Amino acid sequence: MSYLLYVGYFGAAAVIFLWLRDARIFFLTGLSGYRKAAYWGVLYGALGTFGLLCTIAGDTFELLGLGLILAALYLQGRMKREKIWTGSESILTRLTGSAKRPQTNKK
């Protein structure tokens, strides 16, 4: 068992975490960029999970699996999203995807 297996675990967990964060922000704000990112996050999560399975399979497919996980992270980071943070938030707020809900004009 190589240390690269642990890198694969962490990478696949990061892909799933970022997908869930995008989905949470979409449900809180309803922004279309996060909706698209959440939908595509399902595909990237599957790619990351498949990469993890390749990494677990053994020494032959270990680097292929890590490459798939890296590709999923790269593609997930390239998605266009709206700016929802002003820059004064804490790291924990941005990490968990806590976003303000849009104001409605209902009386």
Side-chain angles (χ1 to χ4, degrees):
M1 184 186 295
S2 172
Y3 70 93
L4 293 176
L5 183 62
Y6 298 112
V7 174
Y9 283 136
F10 183 75
V15 170
I16 299 297
F17 175 78
L18 291 173
W19 164 51
L20 292 174
R21 188 189 72 156
D22 286 342
R24 179 171 188 233
I25 293 171
F26 166 65
F27 286 127
L28 289 176
T29 63
L31 296 171
S32 63
Y34 282 95
R35 178 178 155 230
K36 185 177 178 182
Y39 285 157
W40 278 94
V42 175
L43 178 67
Y44 299 144
L47 182 64
T49 304
F50 180 69
L52 180 63
L53 292 175
C54 288
T55 304
I56 292 172
D59 295 332
T60 308
F61 297 110
E62 192 170 47
L63 292 178
L64 173 67
L66 289 174
L68 291 173
I69 293 169
L70 185 62
L73 283 169
Y74 174 74
L75 293 171
Q76 196 169 29
R78 290 185 48 108
M79 297 292 298
K80 300 291 182 198
R81 298 171 185 91
E82 293 88 353
K83 303 280 185 196
I84 59 170
W85 291 298
T86 60
S88 61
E89 297 84 8
S90 67
I91 292 175
L92 185 61
T93 301
R94 293 184 75 163
L95 186 69
T96 59
S98 299
K100 293 181 182 177
R101 293 191 171 142
Q103 297 290 333
T104 58
N105 293 332
K106 295 181 181 179
K107 292 184 179 184

